[in-house]
Amino acid sequence: MAGYWQRVAAVAMILGWSMASAGCAQTETVAAPVAESALPAKFLTDPELFAPGAKVFKYRCAACHSMDATKSQFFGPHLDGLIQRKIASTPGYTFTEEVQQLSIVWTTPVLLEWLARPQQMVANMCMPFTGLPKQADREALLAYIYQASEAK
């Protein structure tokens, strides 16, 4: 497990993130509510969003995650089939005990909140992703995750 955290620290350093901003320092933050988006199913399968979502995934997620469940795990678990999956339930990936105790299920509203404020939603997760400030990027990424999972 020590090797895993060394890899996370190395990626954070390369990308210019501090481990404290990645949630690795003890914090007392409380999640602020995120307005629930009215994302109709049609929107989530809109081909116009696939390319922008794929670009967001490439530049913000792909260093640690894959959309292919058959690929070896990177620094984070694969995201294939993420929708409606319980947090910390990806086979073959080791999660911290703290994260395993959570009862989060990845639904559209939960993912939109996660993408906006991941460190506030799950404090001390030690994930060097601090969120996507633009609603359009969050929605495009979510559409990409839905479409990439459904395409298989």
Side-chain angles (χ1 to χ4, degrees):
M1 192 67 163
Y4 168 79
W5 296 117
Q6 289 169 335
R7 290 191 310 265
V8 169
V11 168
M13 185 179 73
I14 290 166
L15 297 175
W17 297 324
S18 75
M19 292 307 285
S21 71
C24 296
Q26 194 73 318
T27 59
E28 293 291 328
T29 55
V30 177
V34 172
E36 192 168 321
S37 177
L39 291 176
K42 177 178 106 173
F43 179 80
L44 294 173
T45 57
D46 183 351
E48 302 271 329
L49 288 174
F50 190 82
K55 185 175 180 181
V56 172
F57 184 85
K58 177 180 178 181
Y59 290 107
R60 299 298 304 269
C61 310
C64 298
H65 298 281
S66 170
M67 284 304 302
D68 186 345
T70 64
K71 297 236 176 176
S72 63
Q73 299 298 322
F74 295 106
F75 298 108
H78 71 79
L79 302 180
D80 183 40
L82 177 68
I83 312 307
Q84 297 299 324
R85 187 166 73 201
K86 184 183 179 300
I87 192 171
S89 65
T90 305
Y93 187 80
T94 304
F95 294 89
T96 64
E97 294 223 11
E98 182 178 289
V99 173
Q100 290 177 29
Q101 301 301 316
L102 299 172
S103 60
I104 295 170
V105 174
W106 297 120
T107 62
T108 300
V110 170
L111 282 164
L112 286 171
E113 181 176 347
W114 171 261
L115 293 171
R117 299 178 193 90
Q119 303 305 327
Q120 287 79 22
M121 193 169 164
V122 180
N124 304 319
M125 189 167 191
C126 215
M127 179 177 160
F129 171 68
T130 57
L132 297 171
K134 295 180 184 173
Q135 179 75 17
D137 287 346
R138 293 190 299 269
E139 292 176 354
L141 178 59
L142 188 56
Y144 171 76
I145 289 171
Y146 267 88
Q147 292 177 38
S149 289
E150 291 293 318
K152 298 185 178 189

